[in-house]
Amino acid sequence: RGVLGAHRSRREAGPGRRPAAGPQARPALKPSAYRLRPLTGYGPPRAVPPRTPVRREPLLRMSGRGRAMLLTFDDGPDPRYTPLILDTLRAYDVRATFFVCGEMAADNEDLLARMADEGHVVGNHTWSHPLLTKLGGGRIRQEMERTSDVVEKAYGERPAWFRAPYGAWNRTAFRLGAELGMEPLAWTVDTLDWTTPGARSIVRRVEGGAAPGVVVLSHDAGGDRSQSVRALRAYLPRLLDSGYVLTVPERRRL
C-alpha cells in the first residue's frame, strides 16, 4: 500500500494493539547532495577568452622573436598579383600576413581559401579603404564588421588583426577593433611600392631595414603591383640566406 497506507494502519491499531500486516513505513530519504547541485556538465570549466586590449597606438614591430621578420601585404586580394605572391611564398615555404579589403575579398574568396590552406594570416583592412579619421563610429564599425564577415566565410575564421588604411588611426578605431577581437598592427619598414619606384628600390628598402621583429609593408593590390612581385622574388631568398625567419604575428598581452 505504500507509505500512506502504512501510516493509516498504525492509527487504526491504537495503543497496545499490533498494526495490521503490511509493509512498514520507510525512513524519509534525505535529498542527495548531487541532486542539489546545478547541472554543469562534465570536465573542467571552459576558459573565458581574454578580452582584446584597447591600445593607444598600433603595434609597429614584434618583440622577442629572435631573427624573425613579418612580411605583410595590403589592399588585396587581387587575382592578377596575389597568386604570384602566394606562389613565391610557397616556393620558399614562407608564411605572410595579408590585410584584405572586404570589397576585394568578396570577389576573390578562392584566394582567401588558398591563404588558409597555405598557413597565411588574413587581417582586416576595412571594406572600402576609407580614411577612418573622417568617419563616425557607426561607419567605422560597418567597414570592419562587414570585412570580418567575408573573411570568416572564405578564410574560415574571423581576423585577429586590423590595419587602418593609410595608417590613419584614432581612438574610435582602436576601440572598435578591440570590441571585434582584433589587435592593431602597423609596420616598421614601408617599401613605398605603391609609388612604383622600381623593383630594385623596393629590394633596397626591405634589405636595408631588415632586423629582428621588423614588420615590412608591401601591397598586392590597388594598382600595378608587378614591381612588388619581382622585388619579393629577389629579396626573399636573400633574407632567408641571411638567417632571417619570415613568419606571422602572434597575439600577446599588454
Side-chain angles (χ1 to χ4, degrees):
R1 287 180 294 180
V3 175
L4 293 177
H7 282 296
R8 187 179 298 114
S9 296
R10 281 197 280 275
R11 284 198 305 271
E12 291 172 353
R17 298 173 60 183
R18 297 181 62 185
Q24 300 298 307
R26 297 178 180 178
L29 295 175
K30 295 181 179 180
S32 89
Y34 171 77
R35 290 194 293 183
L36 292 178
R37 294 194 195 111
L39 296 178
T40 57
Y42 298 97
R46 299 176 64 180
V48 177
R51 295 183 62 184
T52 302
V54 179
R55 299 188 184 273
R56 296 183 178 180
E57 57 185 18
L59 299 170
L60 301 177
R61 60 191 303 125
M62 305 303 287
S63 61
R65 304 182 65 86
R67 287 179 64 81
M69 289 175 54
L70 274 62
L71 300 182
T72 67
F73 299 89
D74 283 11
D75 298 352
D78 187 304
R80 297 168 295 176
Y81 306 110
T82 305
L84 300 178
I85 290 174
L86 289 172
D87 289 346
T88 303
L89 295 172
R90 183 173 59 186
Y92 292 96
D93 195 24
V94 165
R95 309 293 178 267
T97 304
F98 292 84
F99 284 95
V100 302
C101 291
E103 61 184 5
M104 297 293 290
D107 293 333
N108 297 282
E109 293 185 357
D110 58 320
L111 290 176
L112 266 67
R114 178 179 173 183
M115 292 172 188
D117 291 342
E118 297 180 3
H120 303 292
V121 167
V122 171
N124 187 318
H125 200 40
T126 73
W127 182 265
S128 60
H129 205 274
L131 187 62
L132 297 184
T133 54
K134 299 293 185 180
L135 302 182
R139 175 71 187 283
I140 295 175
R141 177 182 286 275
Q142 183 183 44
E143 287 275 338
M144 291 182 179
E145 264 187 331
R146 195 175 174 192
T147 300
S148 289
D149 290 344
V150 171
V151 170
E152 182 178 27
K153 176 185 175 185
Y155 179 74
E157 59 185 53
R158 298 182 76 78
W161 300 92
F162 170 69
R163 176 173 286 171
Y166 312 107
W169 311 82
N170 59 16
R171 293 177 60 183
T172 302
F174 288 128
R175 176 177 59 81
L176 292 175
E179 289 178 6
L180 296 173
M182 298 184 293
E183 286 268 42
L185 180 63
W187 57 86
T188 320
V189 175
D190 188 348
T191 64
L192 297 177
D193 59 344
W194 59 274
T195 66
T196 60
R200 290 183 180 180
S201 178
I202 297 171
V203 171
R204 284 196 300 269
R205 289 192 176 102
V206 173
E207 294 182 346
V214 157
V215 180
V216 178
L217 168 63
S218 298
H219 295 80
D220 63 332
D224 183 349
R225 299 298 175 232
S226 56
Q227 292 181 3
S228 304
V229 173
R230 292 199 302 272
L232 177 65
R233 291 170 178 168
Y235 67 70
L236 183 53
R238 295 177 189 175
L239 291 176
L240 295 172
D241 289 343
S242 298
Y244 285 100
V245 177
L246 288 310
T247 184
V248 294
E250 295 179 359
R251 298 292 289 266
R252 61 175 180 167
R253 294 181 180 273
L254 278 171

